[in-house]
Amino acid sequence: MSSVPAKPADLVTVNIDGKDIAVPKGTNVIEAAKLLGIEIPHYCYHPKLSVVGNCRMCLIEMGLPAVDPATKAPIMDPASGKQKVNWMPRAQIGCATNAMPGLHIRTNSPMVKECREGVTEFLLINHPLDCPICDQAGECKLQEHSTAYGRGYSRFVENKNVKPKRTQLGPRVTLDDERCILCSRCIRFSKEVAKDDVLGFIDRGSYSTLTCYPGKKLENNYSLNTVDICPVGALTSTDFRFKMRVWFLKETPSIDTESSVGANTVVWSREGVIYRITPRQNDAVNDTWMTDSGRLLYKQVRSEDRLLVAAINGGTSAYDMAMKAASDLLRASLSAGASGEVRIVGSGRSSVEEQFLTKKLAAALKAPVALVSRVGKGDGILLSADRNPNVRGALVTGLISALPSQQLTSLAADIDAGKVKTVVAINEDLAAADLTAAQLAKVSVIYLGTHKNATSAAAKVVLPTLTVFEKSGTFVNQQFRLQKFTKAVPGPEGLADDLVTLANLAASAGAGALPSDLTGLWSTLAAEAPVLAGLSYAKLPATGAVLDSAAWAGLPFVEGETLHFKPAAVPAAANA
């Protein structure tokens, strides 16, 4: 959906409000004006959707240089000495007007001002002025444009046409129909991006209504994007609706961890509580969209099965005591002197920095490392087949050299053979990877994780860790794009950052003192991982940096094609 950058030869010069600007050929007037810092108000236009021109708010004056019809010679204005401009007698819509050589635009003329006032007055005829209670307050373009471009009063004295409220279009989206201005953004998004043509208008004139087609619901995994792009508060999130005013919320950049796509997100929180997740624009990864399922991940922070205290042999413990117990177990394994006494199960959901420290821990213990593959069905948009967000990070850091499998078959065999005494499981449920309860009972398990599961229940030592919302770090997505996420809320009281826990474990295993902060870690990372040379967490761009992936080009990654990812060769299993 993103536009291809134009070659210099494709640039055309247009004049907007007396200022010349060179823009790529085909750029519409709204985007061209934006480059000059000029706002052309609009509702139905969205840069990632097709143009329909049905709100009429972006009306502008348009003209072209005058030429003699017979000779095609320029007609000059004797007063100014410049070529005359033939202005069209009626306003035109900016969204459907593309840049062409010599095009002249006026965005602030008396005609344009009168048009905007008229459109605003028309839109407000049946729209309730319930801004104080509207859930879109703070994010409503109708509110903002009415203030900036409206007349300030209405001549409409008849009764408003009152339409239905609180209509459920699907499990996650609520429609307040009386606020809908029929911009059709939601209809176009469903058809063009989500590939689920489920919405449409019925009836005519003031009685036109947004609705689902008979027998259908707005229930695809991208339905909440219609809420994001609704300019007037007609569509709201059933989950977030009336929970919090947006101006009270803090915005923190983050990454969707449900798959290797790595959609860019914003986490909205207040006083340590997360209220919602919305997409963050990155035209190279997710445009301005994300999945509904990714928006719900914040609920894991306060879920009932969250691990909040450390444990030793099933009993709760202070974090420091549990750390000492884990260190003692590792030292005991080392003193046994047998290579292979300890095994480490890392995680494709750990950050690059955590995977780097896991590698250091494994090196100190001379312990083999395994990762668990997590594969689902990709949807071809923003949910990939690889449900780990950072398998490529494990490759980049050197934690693994081959792609993981879904079962820990080798580890299970070694446990049965008595070759393993201790297993360090990092945010991975070993039982879900086909280790039996009897096998878990044969070894001492040190479990680092965020939530309870069969492995935490069987572990000798449990060290609770933080969710992605409670720490900072980086992931490498399916494009080998290194992207950073930032701590949005504090972790549970008494828990250390995962980097501190891993650095302490590695130190107790003999790895020496390791940095446990991002700045210090990145100095070491950039020096030891060739593809990360010259990079640092602090200077990583908001849109990420693409790494050189040539070293792993031959690996059979499971992802199929998604919105901005096209694998060189798609394994048949990935598209099943």
Side-chain angles (χ1 to χ4, degrees), residues 6 8 11 78 97 127 187 207 224 250 267 333 350 373 395 418-419 464 497 523 550 555 557:
L11 294 178
T97 302
H127 193 291
I187 296 173
Y207 297 96
L224 285 170
K250 180 184 73 172
V267 179
S333 299
S350 293
S373 172
L395 293 168
K419 298 179 180 177
D497 190 284
S523 296
L555 293 179
F557 293 107

Side-chain angles (χ1 to χ4, degrees), residues 180-256:
C180 180
I181 62 167
L182 309 175
C183 74
S184 81
R185 280 185 176 188
C186 53
I187 296 173
R188 283 174 282 150
F189 170 82
S190 298
K191 184 175 183 178
E192 297 168 8
V193 181
K195 311 299 181 188
D196 184 21
D197 190 9
V198 65
L199 294 173
F201 294 135
I202 58 170
D203 297 330
R204 305 182 68 182
S206 295
Y207 297 96
S208 288
T209 301
L210 175 69
T211 188
C212 293
Y213 291 151
K216 293 188 175 182
K217 292 181 180 179
L218 181 59
E219 56 187 353
N220 62 64
N221 198 24
Y222 295 87
S223 68
L224 285 170
N225 291 282
T226 62
V227 174
D228 297 333
I229 60 176
C230 177
V232 298
L235 297 177
T236 53
S237 162
T238 306
D239 179 56
F240 178 67
R241 189 178 162 93
F242 299 123
K243 296 283 177 60
M244 185 60 66
R245 289 301 192 190
V246 293
W247 53 79
F248 290 137
L249 297 175
K250 180 184 73 172
E251 301 176 44
T252 305
S254 192
I255 299 295
D256 181 2

Side-chain angles (χ1 to χ4, degrees), residues 303-317:
S303 66
E304 292 184 354
D305 60 345
R306 181 77 193 272
L307 283 171
L308 299 174
V309 293
I312 302 174
N313 293 323
T316 58
S317 163

Side-chain angles (χ1 to χ4, degrees), residues 74 155 179-180 249 252 265-266 280 283 295-296 354 368 401 420 439-440 449 456 502 564:
R155 292 167 290 180
R179 294 177 187 153
C180 180
L249 297 175
T252 305
T265 64
V266 177
R280 175 166 52 94
D283 290 346
R295 297 172 194 254
L296 298 176
E354 292 160 8
S401 56
V420 182
Q439 288 167 333
L440 290 178
S456 68
L502 287 166
H564 287 296

Side-chain angles (χ1 to χ4, degrees), residues 259-262 347-352 355 371 384-404 474-482 531-532 547-549 552-553 555-560 565-569 571:
S259 79
S260 61
V261 168
S347 176
R349 293 181 289 194
S350 293
S351 68
V352 167
Q355 290 172 341
L371 250 63
S384 67
D386 189 348
R387 298 302 164 81
N388 280 319
N390 201 30
V391 167
R392 285 163 175 81
L395 293 168
V396 166
T397 56
L399 179 63
I400 58 173
S401 56
L403 294 182
T474 56
F475 293 126
V476 181
N477 81 345
Q478 61 184 358
Q479 305 164 319
F480 272 91
R481 179 179 294 271
L482 179 70
V531 297
L532 299 178
L547 307 177
D548 181 2
S549 61
W552 304 281
L555 293 179
F557 293 107
V558 299
E559 290 94 342
F565 177 74
K566 196 166 189 175

Side-chain angles (χ1 to χ4, degrees), residues 19-86:
K19 300 175 183 175
D20 286 340
I21 183 171
V23 298
K25 186 179 180 181
T27 303
N28 72 32
V29 169
I30 292 177
E31 296 297 333
K34 196 182 295 180
L35 295 173
L36 285 171
I38 297 172
E39 180 190 56
I40 297 178
H42 55 271
Y43 296 109
C44 68
Y45 169 73
H46 190 286
K48 301 297 180 183
L49 301 176
S50 61
V51 172
V52 291
N54 60 354
C55 79
R56 323 305 286 182
M57 189 64 186
C58 63
L59 290 168
I60 43 96
E61 269 195 276
M62 180 176 117
L64 289 169
V67 295
D68 186 289
T71 64
K72 306 300 180 185
I75 300 176
M76 306 305 290
D77 182 350
S80 65
K82 296 181 179 178
Q83 189 175 7
K84 288 183 66 176
V85 175
N86 285 333

